[in-house]
Amino acid sequence: MKVLDAPFLKAYVDMADHGDQLGWHERNGGNFTYWLTKEEAESIQENLSYEDPWKDIGTEVPYLANEYFLISGTGRYFHNMKKDPANTAGIIQLDEVGKRYRICWGLTENGRPTSELPTHLMNMEVKARMTNNQNRVIYHCHCPNIIALTFILPLKSEIFTRELWEMMTECPIIFPQGLGVVEWMVPGGREIAIVTSKLMEQYDAIIWAHHGMFVSGMDFDSTFGLMHTIEKSAEMWIKVHSCVSKKQQTISVEGFKELAKAFNVSLDERFLYEK
Ligand code: 2HA
Ligand code: ZN
């Protein structure tokens, strides 16, 4: 099968385009990785080439050795994903120790994978180990309301989680483990990848202060849905606090406990403090 005809490629392009339509991918902002299943990688072998020289990833991901990933290109615009997926994204394969990659398809015109390749692969490795290889998607965007909140709220997981849970009843059901927060760091490299992937052991969604957010998930819909829910909740926070400095009423700690029971989720006590 041609890569352009593969269902996973179409789903990837649709999700990237949806993010772009929501204003999360100005210019070349954001990046996105999908880990191909064995069957998917098999199905497109005839369309892959193995001539590209190996290049260093900039970190090590031994658990993902030899695996294939569909990944967005550095400097490429999500806005062009639908028009030209082979230029905007590409498929890479890792070497047998998980230290180097080669481009097997796409990233035409001398494209290279995203500058956040180390964070994507280290996050993927953490999640793959934790979920028995079920987690397949890592997505990063510049969602404006979350970014705005990182100038307003203290950069603490407990505070972001509780504030965003309160803005929409379904939030604690959709991200019961809460949100991780990384203080401002230089993006694009191993250092931010180490900090982010450590938090991925605990969370599926991680905020990068004054920059954007990373989410992980088993499939395209649930990963995008997680990003969308958190960003929408942040939008509500901004709307409410643009009108009043203090909410007139909100969901109580008791209310969160009832929700947890009704929807069979476990909410950590560290988010359920009295205010
Ligand atoms: O410009 O989003 O974090 C791509 C990015 C880097
Ligand atoms: Zn970014």
Side-chain angles (χ1 to χ4, degrees):
M1 187 179 3
K2 285 210 158 68
V3 173
L4 289 175
D5 294 329
F8 71 83
L9 188 281
K10 292 179 181 172
Y12 179 97
V13 170
D14 276 352
M15 178 169 144
D17 191 61
H18 193 184
D20 180 60
Q21 285 175 33
L22 292 177
W24 298 349
H25 296 286
E26 80 294 335
R27 204 175 179 278
N28 61 323
N31 26 75
F32 181 16
T33 304
Y34 174 68
W35 177 19
L36 277 66
T37 64
K38 293 257 176 295
E39 296 72 32
E40 285 165 338
E42 273 299 308
S43 74
I44 51 153
Q45 276 305 321
E46 66 190 43
N47 202 196
L48 301 185
S49 104
Y50 292 94
E51 270 138 47
D52 189 50
W54 293 105
K55 299 218 165 48
D56 284 338
I57 295 168
T59 190
E60 282 175 54
V61 283
Y63 190 82
L64 302 176
N66 300 311
E67 295 295 317
Y68 292 87
F69 302 88
L70 175 58
I71 189 157
S72 54
T74 186
R76 302 277 154 100
Y77 292 23
F78 273 48
H79 190 66
N80 297 330
M81 197 68 89
K82 223 168 192 159
K83 230 178 350 197
D84 195 355
N87 186 257
T88 316
I91 292 175
I92 59 169
Q93 186 194 18
L94 305 196
D95 71 5
E96 73 281 0
V97 288
K99 282 188 178 175
R100 297 178 306 164
Y101 71 90
R102 60 183 169 188
I103 298 170
C104 303
W105 176 87
L107 290 170
T108 56
E109 298 180 82
N110 296 318
R112 301 254 63 97
T114 168
S115 57
E116 308 295 358
L117 183 65
T119 296
H120 279 258
L121 293 179
M122 287 181 81
N123 286 349
M124 194 75 86
E125 181 177 58
V126 164
K127 288 300 188 186
R129 283 184 199 275
M130 289 174 66
T131 63
N132 193 23
N133 303 340
Q134 296 304 299
N135 192 101
R136 295 266 154 192
V137 185
I138 302 286
Y139 176 50
H140 166 62
C141 76
H142 298 171
C143 36
N145 291 286
I146 281 289
I147 298 172
L149 265 194
T150 66
F151 295 92
I152 302 171
L153 293 175
L155 298 173
K156 296 260 179 294
S157 168
E158 289 77 5
I159 292 175
F160 268 84
T161 300
R162 177 61 178 279
E163 289 298 317
L164 294 183
W165 278 1
E166 280 186 35
M167 298 318 300
M168 209 162 53
T169 296
E170 298 200 349
C171 283
I173 303 155
I174 292 164
F175 50 101
Q177 68 285 84
L179 304 173
V181 182
V182 175
E183 291 199 6
W184 186 85
M185 288 181 77
V186 175
R190 188 156 183 271
E191 219 174 307
I192 197 165
I194 292 170
V195 174
T196 308
S197 61
K198 183 83 196 135
L199 287 172
M200 275 285 171
E201 291 171 6
Q202 211 178 333
Y203 306 103
D204 288 336
I206 294 166
I207 295 167
W208 277 6
H210 322 322
H211 183 144
M213 185 154 60
F214 264 91
V215 292
S216 67
M218 311 265 184
D219 56 45
F220 294 114
D221 279 350
S222 62
T223 309
F224 192 85
L226 178 60
M227 182 72 83
H228 201 180
T229 304
I230 297 167
E231 168 61 6
K232 184 169 179 181
S233 184
E235 182 179 355
M236 238 91 73
W237 197 102
I238 307 267
K239 279 185 199 293
V240 168
H241 292 85
S242 302
C243 299
V244 292
S245 58
K246 192 172 180 304
K247 285 173 277 192
Q248 189 72 34
Q249 55 272 323
T250 184
I251 304 169
S252 65
V253 169
E254 208 38 56
F256 284 121
K257 290 183 176 163
E258 285 171 28
L259 264 179
K261 211 185 282 167
F263 287 87
N264 201 22
V265 291
S266 137
L267 302 180
D268 198 315
E269 285 289 331
R270 92 189 154 93
F271 303 123
L272 297 178
Y273 45 86
E274 287 300 339
K275 294 210 263 187

